[in-house]
Amino acid sequence: MAREQMNPTIEKILINIEKVMIGKRNVAELSLIALLAGGHVLLEDVPGVGKTMMVRALAKSVNANFRRIQFTPDLLPSDVTGISIYNPKEMEFEFRPGPLMGNIILADEINRTSPKTQSALLEGMEEASVTIDGVTHRLQKPFFVMATQNPIEYEGTYPLPEAQLDRFLLKMKMGYPEVDEEIEVLNRAQKVPPIEDLYSVIDLEGLIALQKEIKEVYVDETIKRYIVDIVNQTRRFPGVYLGASPRGSIALMKAAQAYAFMYGRDFCLPDDIQYLAPFVLSHRIILKSEAKFEGITAEEIVNRVIMRLPVPVQRLVK
């Protein structure tokens, strides 16, 4: 689709990230879309392609408090959320916050920990709060989780349940760099790591202001109907056991608002929906076993749905 003039502040953030990440502009854009829309990202890729570096660069660019959680089989929920410890001097319990109490959280290899610990993220991702010993603690704003998982090694892992997958606004892959890009990675690795010299483009107050502006981006009734039609078709498409939920419709609309704002528009277009739908809906679709046997992917299902549906070209007249 044709690229409009990008929002100047967002352009500066992306340029800043590109000082660290080479050739991954689309991944940086999608991550920023999720952050601006108040959502979270599931990044599924092999180790060593720069997932951690990209999240750190994003956190530095917006002057956010960055926390990394390495998920392991022995990790407990309290290791993520925090714990109350008795202070004998004060004769009362004191809350010691866990790494979840940050702005931008990297949940590394989330499928390597137990479902009980995975669920510790659920309340935080959905409600922006955690409850410990009956006391609810509000998380910092903004709050953004990027979870990673290795799609190759499944031994000793715990697949994320559908309820938790549905909490992620986007799911994407980073992929290996091109040859020239990897050579540039080597050149930069010889010197001081670029992440050390990265500066903040905006502060957290500025980021929160952008998030509020995005909510004002206009979504016409025809676009909303288009979103709902796409999501409805994922539930009826042959080979699909379970289609996207209404939360998927909301996520697609919010992502489209952020994408439109990123490119300097105060309204959404059908092109926005078509581009974002595979990233927003594919992880919300469960395929039947025969479809998996035939090698059909959820991304293909979403793309086929988009190809079949008519594109709205004008506003509905009541």
Side-chain angles (χ1 to χ4, degrees), residues 181-230:
E181 295 169 352
E182 195 161 356
I183 292 174
E184 180 60 25
V185 170
L186 297 181
N187 291 334
R188 295 188 185 185
Q190 285 184 299
K191 307 173 184 177
V192 178
I195 190 71
E196 302 300 330
D197 297 326
L198 218 58
Y199 63 92
S200 300
V201 175
I202 60 172
D203 55 18
L204 291 180
E205 289 73 18
L207 177 60
I208 293 172
L210 289 180
Q211 291 178 326
K212 290 180 180 178
E213 286 186 57
I214 285 169
K215 294 179 181 179
E216 302 302 320
V217 172
Y218 178 68
V219 185
D220 193 77
E221 289 299 318
T222 56
I223 300 296
K224 292 178 182 177
R225 184 179 293 272
Y226 188 45
I227 291 171
V228 172
D229 286 344
I230 292 173

Side-chain angles (χ1 to χ4, degrees), residues 121-253:
L121 283 174
L122 284 179
E123 185 184 359
M125 292 173 62
E126 187 68 16
E127 307 294 339
S129 65
V130 293
T131 302
I132 301 165
D133 296 331
V135 179
T136 299
H137 303 268
R138 301 297 301 176
L139 298 179
Q140 300 178 29
K141 290 185 179 181
F143 177 70
F144 172 71
V145 174
M146 177 172 283
T148 70
Q149 60 180 8
N150 187 340
I152 305 301
E153 299 175 357
Y154 287 109
E155 186 176 354
T157 62
Y158 303 86
L160 296 178
E162 288 73 23
Q164 190 162 345
L165 283 173
D166 212 26
R167 259 66 176 184
F168 291 98
L169 186 81
L170 303 171
K171 179 187 176 185
M172 56 186 177
K173 299 179 181 180
M174 186 170 286
Y176 289 117
E178 300 294 334
V179 174
D180 292 341
E181 295 169 352
E182 195 161 356
I183 292 174
E184 180 60 25
V185 170
L186 297 181
N187 291 334
R188 295 188 185 185
Q190 285 184 299
K191 307 173 184 177
V192 178
I195 190 71
E196 302 300 330
D197 297 326
L198 218 58
Y199 63 92
S200 300
V201 175
I202 60 172
D203 55 18
L204 291 180
E205 289 73 18
L207 177 60
I208 293 172
L210 289 180
Q211 291 178 326
K212 290 180 180 178
E213 286 186 57
I214 285 169
K215 294 179 181 179
E216 302 302 320
V217 172
Y218 178 68
V219 185
D220 193 77
E221 289 299 318
T222 56
I223 300 296
K224 292 178 182 177
R225 184 179 293 272
Y226 188 45
I227 291 171
V228 172
D229 286 344
I230 292 173
V231 172
N232 267 321
Q233 284 300 312
T234 66
R235 303 166 188 165
R236 304 174 183 176
F237 204 89
V240 174
Y241 175 73
L242 186 68
S245 68
R247 186 183 282 133
S249 301
I250 297 171
L252 186 51
M253 182 183 71

